[in-house]
Amino acid sequence: MDRLFLYGTLCHRPLLARVLDRPETDLVLTPARLADHAVHWVEGESFPAIHPAPGAVAEGLCLEGVDAEARARLDYYEGGYGFALGLVTVETRAGPCSAGVYEARSPAPCPGAAWRLAEWQAHWGEIVTLAAEEVMLGYPGRDPELNARRYRMILARAAARIRAREPAPATLRRPTRPDDIEEFARSQPYANFFAVEEYDFRHRRFDGAWSPAVNRAAFFTADAATVLPYDPARDAVLLIEQFRVGPYGRGDSECWSLEAIAGLIDPGETPETTVRREAVEEAGITLGPLHRVYGYYPSPGAKTEFIYSFVAEADLPEGTGGLGGLAAEAEDIRAHVVPLARALVLVETGEIGNAPLILSLLWLARNRERLRASG
């Protein structure tokens, strides 16, 4: 089968080129139509599916000259999401012809709204194209179904890479230029909810010469956002407490951690949207105005995670707090409302040992009078 009918996301040339590992200029694509079929979003997902629909017509593209390697790469990319290759007859400018098409295996996914490529490109195109790069790092040895199970985290990491492109100041540090880093190899030896990637590369030294080739590994997660709710009228903050596997794995004498409200930034979200959502989920409160604290890498020598921290004005009357968290995520969270002065004492005694919370409390201590005066 040397011809495929493509619909939905694979009609986005940059994505198709990434999956096939070929330049866009090498892709031979011609417009095509498949009668008695329609394309709809899969409910709750970032991709569509095609299904029989008498009288409808599915618009798409025919990919010509599909060799064994291209077929294998496409089978791998589509296979993890429950799609298998079927045979159909499509209409092209040259007339009807046979083509393969990736169709959802039963049970068929729940269809959502009618698919529009331009709408998907505007919201998801760049994120999904970057996500395909991580998906294809597992080709051919990794089970493609693992990609589907971890796809939301893959999307979140792709969205983080897009945010990372935003210009950042370089007044003291060395500015990064396009030719400062030469990568020789990239692999992903571990991939689950989190991932580990290894790189072989060299980089420019401060004296202008090239460094020797080095091998480095990075622990991959999504970006995160934290928020410390503050009631200016009561001069009180809301802290959450939960069991954390990090202290447990380290053998810490205390495995319950006092923290700011926090969460991973979902694909398509802003950090501000994330903290407002997490405040409801973790503490059952609605946040008022947000104040940006800092954005930072907690451990840039080993982790890709970038954290956006905020302080939020909020009404924290007596009785606010208690137990919360999402049962679906096995969260067991207790919220405390305490005077800011006590929270700062907990930093000094070491009972608060969570970096985002420490940074947010120190920022708040410096800015509390301004917030109270404007409240």
Side-chain angles (χ1 to χ4, degrees), residues 1-2 4 16-22 27 63-78 85 102 136-141:
M1 189 181 300
D2 62 356
L4 292 177
L16 182 61
R18 190 69 58 94
V19 172
L20 295 178
D21 194 26
R22 297 181 180 178
L27 303 177
L63 175 65
E64 307 287 346
V66 180
D67 58 21
E69 174 66 9
R71 165 75 184 275
R73 294 182 71 88
L74 285 164
D75 284 352
Y76 179 84
Y77 183 75
E78 294 288 329
L85 207 56
Y102 287 100
M136 298 308 293
L137 279 175
Y139 172 82

PDB file of all heavy atoms in Angstrom, residues 1-2 4 16-22 27 63-78 85 102 136-141:
ATOM      1  N   MET A   1       0.862  -1.192   0.000  1.00  0.00           N
ATOM      2  CA  MET A   1       0.000   0.000   0.000  1.00  0.00           C
ATOM      3  C   MET A   1       0.895   1.238   0.000  1.00  0.00           C
ATOM      4  O   MET A   1       1.535   1.561   1.004  1.00  0.00           O
ATOM      5  CB  MET A   1      -0.899  -0.005   1.238  1.00  0.00           C
ATOM      6  CG  MET A   1      -1.972   1.060   1.228  1.00  0.00           C
ATOM      7  SD  MET A   1      -2.958   0.983   2.754  1.00  0.00           S
ATOM      8  CE  MET A   1      -3.630  -0.673   2.652  1.00  0.00           C
ATOM      9  N   ASP A   2       0.997   1.897  -1.167  1.00  0.00           N
ATOM     10  CA  ASP A   2       1.924   3.030  -1.285  1.00  0.00           C
ATOM     11  C   ASP A   2       1.204   4.367  -1.290  1.00  0.00           C
ATOM     12  O   ASP A   2       1.802   5.397  -1.599  1.00  0.00           O
ATOM     13  CB  ASP A   2       2.781   2.887  -2.539  1.00  0.00           C
ATOM     14  CG  ASP A   2       1.956   2.894  -3.823  1.00  0.00           C
ATOM     15  OD1 ASP A   2       0.718   2.936  -3.732  1.00  0.00           O
ATOM     16  OD2 ASP A   2       2.559   2.847  -4.906  1.00  0.00           O
ATOM     17  N   LEU A   4      -1.706   6.720   1.116  1.00  0.00           N
ATOM     18  CA  LEU A   4      -2.513   6.843   2.319  1.00  0.00           C
ATOM     19  C   LEU A   4      -3.398   8.068   2.233  1.00  0.00           C
ATOM     20  O   LEU A   4      -2.959   9.130   1.760  1.00  0.00           O
ATOM     21  CB  LEU A   4      -1.623   6.955   3.560  1.00  0.00           C
ATOM     22  CG  LEU A   4      -0.798   5.728   3.960  1.00  0.00           C
ATOM     23  CD1 LEU A   4       0.081   6.061   5.160  1.00  0.00           C
ATOM     24  CD2 LEU A   4      -1.698   4.554   4.279  1.00  0.00           C
ATOM     25  N   LEU A  16       3.358  15.982  10.044  1.00  0.00           N
ATOM     26  CA  LEU A  16       3.628  14.819   9.204  1.00  0.00           C
ATOM     27  C   LEU A  16       5.133  14.671   8.947  1.00  0.00           C
ATOM     28  O   LEU A  16       5.681  13.565   9.017  1.00  0.00           O
ATOM     29  CB  LEU A  16       2.864  14.941   7.887  1.00  0.00           C
ATOM     30  CG  LEU A  16       3.010  13.777   6.900  1.00  0.00           C
ATOM     31  CD1 LEU A  16       2.508  12.470   7.508  1.00  0.00           C
ATOM     32  CD2 LEU A  16       2.252  14.090   5.605  1.00  0.00           C
ATOM     33  N   ALA A  17       5.791  15.781   8.662  1.00  0.00           N
ATOM     34  CA  ALA A  17       7.237  15.735   8.422  1.00  0.00           C
ATOM     35  C   ALA A  17       7.979  15.266   9.664  1.00  0.00           C
ATOM     36  O   ALA A  17       8.955  14.513   9.578  1.00  0.00           O
ATOM     37  CB  ALA A  17       7.732  17.112   7.990  1.00  0.00           C
ATOM     38  N   ARG A  18       7.519  15.690  10.863  1.00  0.00           N
ATOM     39  CA  ARG A  18       8.173  15.273  12.108  1.00  0.00           C
ATOM     40  C   ARG A  18       8.006  13.774  12.331  1.00  0.00           C
ATOM     41  O   ARG A  18       8.952  13.090  12.736  1.00  0.00           O
ATOM     42  CB  ARG A  18       7.572  16.063  13.281  1.00  0.00           C
ATOM     43  CG  ARG A  18       8.292  15.912  14.599  1.00  0.00           C
ATOM     44  CD  ARG A  18       9.666  16.577  14.580  1.00  0.00           C
ATOM     45  NE  ARG A  18       9.588  17.988  14.255  1.00  0.00           N
ATOM     46  CZ  ARG A  18       9.514  18.965  15.152  1.00  0.00           C
ATOM     47  NH1 ARG A  18       9.494  18.681  16.438  1.00  0.00           N
ATOM     48  NH2 ARG A  18       9.488  20.226  14.783  1.00  0.00           N
ATOM     49  N   VAL A  19       6.796  13.259  12.080  1.00  0.00           N
ATOM     50  CA  VAL A  19       6.553  11.830  12.267  1.00  0.00           C
ATOM     51  C   VAL A  19       7.392  11.002  11.291  1.00  0.00           C
ATOM     52  O   VAL A  19       7.990   9.983  11.656  1.00  0.00           O
ATOM     53  CB  VAL A  19       5.055  11.508  12.096  1.00  0.00           C
ATOM     54  CG1 VAL A  19       4.817   9.993  12.097  1.00  0.00           C
ATOM     55  CG2 VAL A  19       4.241  12.170  13.205  1.00  0.00           C
ATOM     56  N   LEU A  20       7.458  11.440  10.039  1.00  0.00           N
ATOM     57  CA  LEU A  20       8.191  10.690   9.015  1.00  0.00           C
ATOM     58  C   LEU A  20       9.689  10.956   9.049  1.00  0.00           C
ATOM     59  O   LEU A  20      10.450  10.250   8.371  1.00  0.00           O
ATOM     60  CB  LEU A  20       7.644  11.047   7.631  1.00  0.00           C
ATOM     61  CG  LEU A  20       6.192  10.649   7.349  1.00  0.00           C
ATOM     62  CD1 LEU A  20       5.773  11.110   5.967  1.00  0.00           C
ATOM     63  CD2 LEU A  20       6.005   9.144   7.490  1.00  0.00           C
ATOM     64  N   ASP A  21      10.109  11.972   9.804  1.00  0.00           N
ATOM     65  CA  ASP A  21      11.515  12.377   9.852  1.00  0.00           C
ATOM     66  C   ASP A  21      12.025  12.718   8.451  1.00  0.00           C
ATOM     67  O   ASP A  21      13.099  12.276   8.028  1.00  0.00           O
ATOM     68  CB  ASP A  21      12.378  11.277  10.479  1.00  0.00           C
ATOM     69  CG  ASP A  21      13.772  11.768  10.859  1.00  0.00           C
ATOM     70  OD1 ASP A  21      13.923  12.975  11.107  1.00  0.00           O
ATOM     71  OD2 ASP A  21      14.707  10.944  10.885  1.00  0.00           O
ATOM     72  N   ARG A  22      11.234  13.521   7.755  1.00  0.00           N
ATOM     73  CA  ARG A  22      11.580  13.949   6.403  1.00  0.00           C
ATOM     74  C   ARG A  22      11.314  15.437   6.257  1.00  0.00           C
ATOM     75  O   ARG A  22      10.434  15.984   6.938  1.00  0.00           O
ATOM     76  CB  ARG A  22      10.742  13.197   5.366  1.00  0.00           C
ATOM     77  CG  ARG A  22      10.980  11.697   5.336  1.00  0.00           C
ATOM     78  CD  ARG A  22      10.140  11.020   4.280  1.00  0.00           C
ATOM     79  NE  ARG A  22      10.379   9.582   4.272  1.00  0.00           N
ATOM     80  CZ  ARG A  22       9.742   8.730   3.468  1.00  0.00           C
ATOM     81  NH1 ARG A  22       8.825   9.181   2.617  1.00  0.00           N
ATOM     82  NH2 ARG A  22      10.015   7.436   3.515  1.00  0.00           N
ATOM     83  N   LEU A  27       7.515  15.784   0.901  1.00  0.00           N
ATOM     84  CA  LEU A  27       6.190  15.165   1.010  1.00  0.00           C
ATOM     85  C   LEU A  27       5.389  15.405  -0.265  1.00  0.00           C
ATOM     86  O   LEU A  27       5.238  16.547  -0.703  1.00  0.00           O
ATOM     87  CB  LEU A  27       5.438  15.754   2.205  1.00  0.00           C
ATOM     88  CG  LEU A  27       6.134  15.631   3.579  1.00  0.00           C
ATOM     89  CD1 LEU A  27       5.293  16.324   4.644  1.00  0.00           C
ATOM     90  CD2 LEU A  27       6.379  14.178   3.936  1.00  0.00           C
ATOM     91  N   LEU A  63      -1.213  10.922   0.624  1.00  0.00           N
ATOM     92  CA  LEU A  63       0.243  10.876   0.693  1.00  0.00           C
ATOM     93  C   LEU A  63       0.711   9.794  -0.265  1.00  0.00           C
ATOM     94  O   LEU A  63       0.363   8.619  -0.111  1.00  0.00           O
ATOM     95  CB  LEU A  63       0.705  10.566   2.117  1.00  0.00           C
ATOM     96  CG  LEU A  63       2.211  10.360   2.316  1.00  0.00           C
ATOM     97  CD1 LEU A  63       2.986  11.638   2.034  1.00  0.00           C
ATOM     98  CD2 LEU A  63       2.495   9.871   3.745  1.00  0.00           C
ATOM     99  N   GLU A  64       1.477  10.194  -1.267  1.00  0.00           N
ATOM    100  CA  GLU A  64       1.933   9.258  -2.291  1.00  0.00           C
ATOM    101  C   GLU A  64       3.331   8.741  -1.972  1.00  0.00           C
ATOM    102  O   GLU A  64       4.089   9.366  -1.241  1.00  0.00           O
ATOM    103  CB  GLU A  64       1.953   9.962  -3.658  1.00  0.00           C
ATOM    104  CG  GLU A  64       0.647  10.652  -4.049  1.00  0.00           C
ATOM    105  CD  GLU A  64      -0.450   9.677  -4.424  1.00  0.00           C
ATOM    106  OE1 GLU A  64      -0.133   8.484  -4.636  1.00  0.00           O
ATOM    107  OE2 GLU A  64      -1.622  10.099  -4.503  1.00  0.00           O
ATOM    108  N   GLY A  65       3.651   7.586  -2.530  1.00  0.00           N
ATOM    109  CA  GLY A  65       4.990   7.030  -2.394  1.00  0.00           C
ATOM    110  C   GLY A  65       5.330   6.609  -0.982  1.00  0.00           C
ATOM    111  O   GLY A  65       6.437   6.858  -0.505  1.00  0.00           O
ATOM    112  N   VAL A  66       4.371   5.947  -0.299  1.00  0.00           N
ATOM    113  CA  VAL A  66       4.586   5.517   1.083  1.00  0.00           C
ATOM    114  C   VAL A  66       5.416   4.237   1.071  1.00  0.00           C
ATOM    115  O   VAL A  66       4.933   3.165   0.706  1.00  0.00           O
ATOM    116  CB  VAL A  66       3.245   5.286   1.805  1.00  0.00           C
ATOM    117  CG1 VAL A  66       3.496   4.846   3.244  1.00  0.00           C
ATOM    118  CG2 VAL A  66       2.393   6.537   1.768  1.00  0.00           C
ATOM    119  N   ASP A  67       6.682   4.332   1.481  1.00  0.00           N
ATOM    120  CA  ASP A  67       7.542   3.153   1.522  1.00  0.00           C
ATOM    121  C   ASP A  67       7.413   2.450   2.874  1.00  0.00           C
ATOM    122  O   ASP A  67       6.650   2.875   3.758  1.00  0.00           O
ATOM    123  CB  ASP A  67       8.989   3.533   1.221  1.00  0.00           C
ATOM    124  CG  ASP A  67       9.556   4.570   2.189  1.00  0.00           C
ATOM    125  OD1 ASP A  67       9.015   4.714   3.306  1.00  0.00           O
ATOM    126  OD2 ASP A  67      10.541   5.245   1.827  1.00  0.00           O
ATOM    127  N   ALA A  68       8.173   1.359   3.046  1.00  0.00           N
ATOM    128  CA  ALA A  68       8.038   0.546   4.251  1.00  0.00           C
ATOM    129  C   ALA A  68       8.394   1.339   5.509  1.00  0.00           C
ATOM    130  O   ALA A  68       7.739   1.204   6.550  1.00  0.00           O
ATOM    131  CB  ALA A  68       8.925  -0.688   4.134  1.00  0.00           C
ATOM    132  N   GLU A  69       9.435   2.185   5.457  1.00  0.00           N
ATOM    133  CA  GLU A  69       9.834   2.961   6.622  1.00  0.00           C
ATOM    134  C   GLU A  69       8.776   3.995   6.989  1.00  0.00           C
ATOM    135  O   GLU A  69       8.440   4.168   8.173  1.00  0.00           O
ATOM    136  CB  GLU A  69      11.179   3.644   6.362  1.00  0.00           C
ATOM    137  CG  GLU A  69      11.647   4.602   7.455  1.00  0.00           C
ATOM    138  CD  GLU A  69      11.968   3.932   8.782  1.00  0.00           C
ATOM    139  OE1 GLU A  69      12.004   2.684   8.830  1.00  0.00           O
ATOM    140  OE2 GLU A  69      12.170   4.666   9.773  1.00  0.00           O
ATOM    141  N   ALA A  70       8.223   4.683   5.989  1.00  0.00           N
ATOM    142  CA  ALA A  70       7.172   5.671   6.263  1.00  0.00           C
ATOM    143  C   ALA A  70       5.951   4.995   6.865  1.00  0.00           C
ATOM    144  O   ALA A  70       5.340   5.506   7.811  1.00  0.00           O
ATOM    145  CB  ALA A  70       6.807   6.406   4.982  1.00  0.00           C
ATOM    146  N   ARG A  71       5.573   3.843   6.304  1.00  0.00           N
ATOM    147  CA  ARG A  71       4.423   3.096   6.829  1.00  0.00           C
ATOM    148  C   ARG A  71       4.681   2.675   8.272  1.00  0.00           C
ATOM    149  O   ARG A  71       3.798   2.802   9.133  1.00  0.00           O
ATOM    150  CB  ARG A  71       4.187   1.875   5.940  1.00  0.00           C
ATOM    151  CG  ARG A  71       3.284   0.808   6.533  1.00  0.00           C
ATOM    152  CD  ARG A  71       1.807   1.191   6.512  1.00  0.00           C
ATOM    153  NE  ARG A  71       1.040   0.164   7.185  1.00  0.00           N
ATOM    154  CZ  ARG A  71       0.601  -0.959   6.593  1.00  0.00           C
ATOM    155  NH1 ARG A  71       0.851  -1.176   5.300  1.00  0.00           N
ATOM    156  NH2 ARG A  71      -0.100  -1.840   7.265  1.00  0.00           N
ATOM    157  N   ALA A  72       5.885   2.191   8.563  1.00  0.00           N
ATOM    158  CA  ALA A  72       6.189   1.754   9.922  1.00  0.00           C
ATOM    159  C   ALA A  72       6.134   2.922  10.911  1.00  0.00           C
ATOM    160  O   ALA A  72       5.627   2.777  12.033  1.00  0.00           O
ATOM    161  CB  ALA A  72       7.560   1.088   9.953  1.00  0.00           C
ATOM    162  N   ARG A  73       6.637   4.086  10.521  1.00  0.00           N
ATOM    163  CA  ARG A  73       6.627   5.237  11.409  1.00  0.00           C
ATOM    164  C   ARG A  73       5.202   5.729  11.651  1.00  0.00           C
ATOM    165  O   ARG A  73       4.837   6.079  12.785  1.00  0.00           O
ATOM    166  CB  ARG A  73       7.495   6.363  10.831  1.00  0.00           C
ATOM    167  CG  ARG A  73       8.993   6.022  10.774  1.00  0.00           C
ATOM    168  CD  ARG A  73       9.813   7.198  10.248  1.00  0.00           C
ATOM    169  NE  ARG A  73       9.864   8.271  11.222  1.00  0.00           N
ATOM    170  CZ  ARG A  73      10.774   8.383  12.189  1.00  0.00           C
ATOM    171  NH1 ARG A  73      11.725   7.469  12.315  1.00  0.00           N
ATOM    172  NH2 ARG A  73      10.749   9.394  13.036  1.00  0.00           N
ATOM    173  N   LEU A  74       4.383   5.749  10.619  1.00  0.00           N
ATOM    174  CA  LEU A  74       2.992   6.163  10.780  1.00  0.00           C
ATOM    175  C   LEU A  74       2.196   5.143  11.594  1.00  0.00           C
ATOM    176  O   LEU A  74       1.369   5.515  12.430  1.00  0.00           O
ATOM    177  CB  LEU A  74       2.345   6.382   9.419  1.00  0.00           C
ATOM    178  CG  LEU A  74       2.777   7.667   8.703  1.00  0.00           C
ATOM    179  CD1 LEU A  74       2.407   7.617   7.225  1.00  0.00           C
ATOM    180  CD2 LEU A  74       2.147   8.891   9.367  1.00  0.00           C
ATOM    181  N   ASP A  75       2.436   3.846  11.365  1.00  0.00           N
ATOM    182  CA  ASP A  75       1.777   2.818  12.166  1.00  0.00           C
ATOM    183  C   ASP A  75       2.120   2.993  13.641  1.00  0.00           C
ATOM    184  O   ASP A  75       1.264   2.850  14.520  1.00  0.00           O
ATOM    185  CB  ASP A  75       2.215   1.424  11.715  1.00  0.00           C
ATOM    186  CG  ASP A  75       1.562   0.984  10.415  1.00  0.00           C
ATOM    187  OD1 ASP A  75       0.645   1.690   9.935  1.00  0.00           O
ATOM    188  OD2 ASP A  75       1.967  -0.068   9.871  1.00  0.00           O
ATOM    189  N   TYR A  76       3.388   3.323  13.915  1.00  0.00           N
ATOM    190  CA  TYR A  76       3.814   3.511  15.301  1.00  0.00           C
ATOM    191  C   TYR A  76       3.122   4.727  15.911  1.00  0.00           C
ATOM    192  O   TYR A  76       2.602   4.662  17.033  1.00  0.00           O
ATOM    193  CB  TYR A  76       5.328   3.695  15.344  1.00  0.00           C
ATOM    194  CG  TYR A  76       5.864   3.929  16.735  1.00  0.00           C
ATOM    195  CD1 TYR A  76       6.133   2.860  17.576  1.00  0.00           C
ATOM    196  CD2 TYR A  76       6.094   5.219  17.214  1.00  0.00           C
ATOM    197  CE1 TYR A  76       6.618   3.063  18.865  1.00  0.00           C
ATOM    198  CE2 TYR A  76       6.569   5.437  18.495  1.00  0.00           C
ATOM    199  CZ  TYR A  76       6.835   4.356  19.315  1.00  0.00           C
ATOM    200  OH  TYR A  76       7.294   4.573  20.585  1.00  0.00           O
ATOM    201  N   TYR A  77       3.104   5.833  15.180  1.00  0.00           N
ATOM    202  CA  TYR A  77       2.517   7.066  15.715  1.00  0.00           C
ATOM    203  C   TYR A  77       1.019   6.911  15.966  1.00  0.00           C
ATOM    204  O   TYR A  77       0.506   7.344  17.005  1.00  0.00           O
ATOM    205  CB  TYR A  77       2.766   8.220  14.741  1.00  0.00           C
ATOM    206  CG  TYR A  77       2.260   9.553  15.237  1.00  0.00           C
ATOM    207  CD1 TYR A  77       2.940  10.243  16.235  1.00  0.00           C
ATOM    208  CD2 TYR A  77       1.112  10.125  14.712  1.00  0.00           C
ATOM    209  CE1 TYR A  77       2.481  11.462  16.703  1.00  0.00           C
ATOM    210  CE2 TYR A  77       0.640  11.350  15.180  1.00  0.00           C
ATOM    211  CZ  TYR A  77       1.324  12.017  16.177  1.00  0.00           C
ATOM    212  OH  TYR A  77       0.863  13.223  16.643  1.00  0.00           O
ATOM    213  N   GLU A  78       0.312   6.282  15.042  1.00  0.00           N
ATOM    214  CA  GLU A  78      -1.136   6.144  15.162  1.00  0.00           C
ATOM    215  C   GLU A  78      -1.547   4.972  16.044  1.00  0.00           C
ATOM    216  O   GLU A  78      -2.625   4.991  16.653  1.00  0.00           O
ATOM    217  CB  GLU A  78      -1.755   5.966  13.770  1.00  0.00           C
ATOM    218  CG  GLU A  78      -1.629   7.187  12.876  1.00  0.00           C
ATOM    219  CD  GLU A  78      -2.544   8.320  13.314  1.00  0.00           C
ATOM    220  OE1 GLU A  78      -3.624   8.050  13.861  1.00  0.00           O
ATOM    221  OE2 GLU A  78      -2.168   9.491  13.111  1.00  0.00           O
ATOM    222  N   LEU A  85      -4.927   0.563  10.229  1.00  0.00           N
ATOM    223  CA  LEU A  85      -5.041   0.885   8.810  1.00  0.00           C
ATOM    224  C   LEU A  85      -6.142   0.065   8.143  1.00  0.00           C
ATOM    225  O   LEU A  85      -6.188  -1.155   8.274  1.00  0.00           O
ATOM    226  CB  LEU A  85      -3.697   0.623   8.124  1.00  0.00           C
ATOM    227  CG  LEU A  85      -3.378   1.434   6.870  1.00  0.00           C
ATOM    228  CD1 LEU A  85      -3.450   2.927   7.140  1.00  0.00           C
ATOM    229  CD2 LEU A  85      -2.004   1.057   6.349  1.00  0.00           C
ATOM    230  N   TYR A 102      -6.213   5.546   8.411  1.00  0.00           N
ATOM    231  CA  TYR A 102      -6.151   5.160   9.818  1.00  0.00           C
ATOM    232  C   TYR A 102      -7.509   5.409  10.459  1.00  0.00           C
ATOM    233  O   TYR A 102      -7.952   6.550  10.589  1.00  0.00           O
ATOM    234  CB  TYR A 102      -5.051   5.933  10.545  1.00  0.00           C
ATOM    235  CG  TYR A 102      -3.668   5.444  10.166  1.00  0.00           C
ATOM    236  CD1 TYR A 102      -2.893   6.135   9.232  1.00  0.00           C
ATOM    237  CD2 TYR A 102      -3.159   4.278  10.718  1.00  0.00           C
ATOM    238  CE1 TYR A 102      -1.637   5.672   8.872  1.00  0.00           C
ATOM    239  CE2 TYR A 102      -1.900   3.811  10.351  1.00  0.00           C
ATOM    240  CZ  TYR A 102      -1.142   4.506   9.432  1.00  0.00           C
ATOM    241  OH  TYR A 102       0.094   4.035   9.069  1.00  0.00           O
ATOM    242  N   MET A 136       8.098  10.106  18.910  1.00  0.00           N
ATOM    243  CA  MET A 136       8.922   9.340  17.965  1.00  0.00           C
ATOM    244  C   MET A 136      10.305   9.017  18.509  1.00  0.00           C
ATOM    245  O   MET A 136      11.030   8.220  17.906  1.00  0.00           O
ATOM    246  CB  MET A 136       9.023  10.082  16.633  1.00  0.00           C
ATOM    247  CG  MET A 136       7.679  10.278  15.925  1.00  0.00           C
ATOM    248  SD  MET A 136       6.696   8.758  15.727  1.00  0.00           S
ATOM    249  CE  MET A 136       7.727   7.835  14.576  1.00  0.00           C
ATOM    250  N   LEU A 137      10.686   9.596  19.659  1.00  0.00           N
ATOM    251  CA  LEU A 137      11.934   9.184  20.299  1.00  0.00           C
ATOM    252  C   LEU A 137      11.870   7.716  20.710  1.00  0.00           C
ATOM    253  O   LEU A 137      12.902   7.055  20.844  1.00  0.00           O
ATOM    254  CB  LEU A 137      12.227  10.048  21.526  1.00  0.00           C
ATOM    255  CG  LEU A 137      12.850  11.419  21.288  1.00  0.00           C
ATOM    256  CD1 LEU A 137      12.965  12.174  22.604  1.00  0.00           C
ATOM    257  CD2 LEU A 137      14.224  11.305  20.642  1.00  0.00           C
ATOM    258  N   GLY A 138      10.658   7.185  20.909  1.00  0.00           N
ATOM    259  CA  GLY A 138      10.507   5.794  21.311  1.00  0.00           C
ATOM    260  C   GLY A 138      10.466   4.819  20.155  1.00  0.00           C
ATOM    261  O   GLY A 138      10.423   3.602  20.372  1.00  0.00           O
ATOM    262  N   TYR A 139      10.453   5.330  18.926  1.00  0.00           N
ATOM    263  CA  TYR A 139      10.381   4.457  17.749  1.00  0.00           C
ATOM    264  C   TYR A 139      11.730   3.819  17.481  1.00  0.00           C
ATOM    265  O   TYR A 139      12.768   4.499  17.553  1.00  0.00           O
ATOM    266  CB  TYR A 139       9.941   5.282  16.532  1.00  0.00           C
ATOM    267  CG  TYR A 139      10.009   4.537  15.211  1.00  0.00           C
ATOM    268  CD1 TYR A 139       8.977   3.687  14.845  1.00  0.00           C
ATOM    269  CD2 TYR A 139      11.104   4.687  14.361  1.00  0.00           C
ATOM    270  CE1 TYR A 139       9.039   3.003  13.639  1.00  0.00           C
ATOM    271  CE2 TYR A 139      11.170   4.007  13.156  1.00  0.00           C
ATOM    272  CZ  TYR A 139      10.125   3.162  12.800  1.00  0.00           C
ATOM    273  OH  TYR A 139      10.184   2.479  11.613  1.00  0.00           O
ATOM    274  N   PRO A 140      11.797   2.532  17.176  1.00  0.00           N
ATOM    275  CA  PRO A 140      10.681   1.587  17.063  1.00  0.00           C
ATOM    276  C   PRO A 140      10.507   0.698  18.280  1.00  0.00           C
ATOM    277  O   PRO A 140       9.587  -0.116  18.323  1.00  0.00           O
ATOM    278  CB  PRO A 140      11.115   0.737  15.873  1.00  0.00           C
ATOM    279  CG  PRO A 140      12.601   0.655  16.010  1.00  0.00           C
ATOM    280  CD  PRO A 140      13.048   1.970  16.603  1.00  0.00           C
ATOM    281  N   GLY A 141      11.369   0.841  19.309  1.00  0.00           N
ATOM    282  CA  GLY A 141      11.401  -0.161  20.357  1.00  0.00           C
ATOM    283  C   GLY A 141      10.353  -0.026  21.447  1.00  0.00           C
ATOM    284  O   GLY A 141       9.996  -1.017  22.083  1.00  0.00           O
TER     285      GLY A 141
END
